[in-house]
Amino acid sequence: MSPFKGQTGLKRVLNAAGYSLDGLRAAFTGEAAFRQLVLLNAVLIPVALLLDVSRVERALMVAVCLLALIVELLNSAVEAAIDRISLDLHPLSKTAKDMGSAAQLVALTLIASVWALILLG
């Protein structure tokens, strides 16, 4: 059993919330791509809330925007872990980072596709 897994109950929840806030803070201060996505979300989500679309369509429009933030957080985590292991150029490191970048491309394509299908559909 890991010594880092010792907390239970409310203490565990509070610790997890703190770690999550630390992660969001690190992403916002250290990752330009995350800040750009936050700005994109700050524009798109209010627009989605104001559009005359169904509740399901609105939920999808917001969800895909938030999904891109999630993918960027995971992509940044992969990059940080790879850089922590070694800053040396290695084909597996490049592959891992490229896959994270590809995941973000798919997430951004999903935003464009969902919004286009709803607004033009």
Side-chain angles (χ1 to χ4, degrees):
M1 171 111 39
S2 170
F4 302 108
K5 298 288 184 178
Q7 301 297 327
T8 60
L10 184 59
K11 179 69 172 163
R12 181 171 184 245
V13 172
L14 292 175
N15 285 348
Y19 303 145
S20 297
L21 291 174
D22 288 346
L24 288 170
R25 192 175 302 112
F28 193 82
T29 59
E31 297 291 335
F34 185 77
R35 289 190 300 274
Q36 291 166 348
L37 282 172
V38 168
L39 179 61
L40 181 66
N41 276 264
V43 172
L44 290 182
I45 290 174
V47 169
L49 297 176
L50 294 173
L51 289 171
D52 184 25
V53 295
S54 74
R55 286 184 289 174
V56 171
E57 289 170 328
R58 183 174 293 112
L60 281 171
M61 295 170 88
V62 171
V64 295
C65 291
L66 295 176
L67 178 63
L69 284 175
I70 294 167
V71 171
E72 183 56 37
L73 287 168
L74 294 172
N75 181 36
S76 296
V78 166
E79 289 184 356
I82 294 297
D83 291 345
R84 165 62 175 89
I85 293 166
S86 174
L87 294 175
D88 294 341
L89 297 178
H90 189 281
L92 291 175
S93 296
K94 180 182 182 332
T95 298
K97 289 183 173 190
D98 289 351
M99 287 175 160
S101 180
Q104 188 55 267
L105 176 63
V106 171
L108 293 172
T109 302
L110 184 62
I111 291 174
S113 300
V114 167
W115 278 67
L117 285 169
I118 291 171
L119 296 177
L120 303 174

